Amino acid sequence: QVQLVESGGGLVQPGGSLRLSCVASGSTFSRYTMGWFRQATGKEREFVAAVSWSGGSTYYADSVKGRFTISRDNGKNTVYLQMNSLKPEDTAVYYCAADTAYYRPIATSTNDYDYWGQGTQVTVSS
């Protein structure tokens, strides 16, 4: 079992920045692809970004490309999402997730991820 605990969510003004963190415990973290997803009120959960187990490969949704950066520190069992130039449409509950099938290419579907954090609210509003 893997437990994922997020932090860093909150209220930020448009154009502002926020960094989310997700700490993993309970099992091996290093070889898992880690992803971030978000779900706005009344919407389906959607892919945001993912990083391979080595940190050498990343993938971003078009909606956040150039603004968000995903990274990981395997020594700290932590994955980060740096969010810059935030827009009101970024408002959502953000979830971190782990894909234990590390041997496959980075996945973007919720069905490919095995463990999920509790979610943290990010609100972008003036």
Side-chain angles (χ1 to χ4, degrees):
Q1 289 290 321
V2 175
Q3 293 80 47
L4 305 174
V5 180
E6 301 180 3
S7 62
L11 175 65
V12 65
Q13 293 186 345
S17 297
L18 206 61
R19 188 174 80 157
L20 305 182
S21 300
C22 179
V23 179
S25 63
S27 188
T28 301
F29 167 83
S30 296
R31 294 191 177 185
Y32 299 165
T33 293
M34 297 296 297
W36 287 95
F37 293 75
R38 67 187 183 187
Q39 186 168 18
T41 301
K43 303 289 186 179
E44 291 290 315
R45 191 169 299 185
E46 66 176 357
F47 173 79
V48 175
V51 59
S52 64
W53 69 269
S54 68
S57 298
T58 58
Y59 191 80
Y60 298 91
D62 288 341
S63 59
V64 306
K65 195 172 299 181
R67 300 187 297 118
F68 291 10
T69 302
I70 187 171
S71 62
R72 68 192 297 161
D73 186 337
N74 289 340
K76 297 180 179 179
N77 287 353
T78 302
V79 62
Y80 305 95
L81 185 68
Q82 178 66 47
M83 304 183 293
N84 299 325
S85 302
L86 284 162
K87 306 173 181 179
E89 50 263 45
D90 295 318
T91 296
V93 177
Y94 282 71
Y95 301 87
C96 64
D99 175 10
T100 61
Y102 67 91
Y103 48 84
R104 66 184 172 194
I106 291 177
T108 61
S109 172
T110 58
N111 293 332
D112 292 323
Y113 287 79
D114 305 295
Y115 300 100
W116 294 84
Q118 78 286 353
T120 186
Q121 178 71 46
V122 172
T123 302
V124 184
S125 176
S126 59

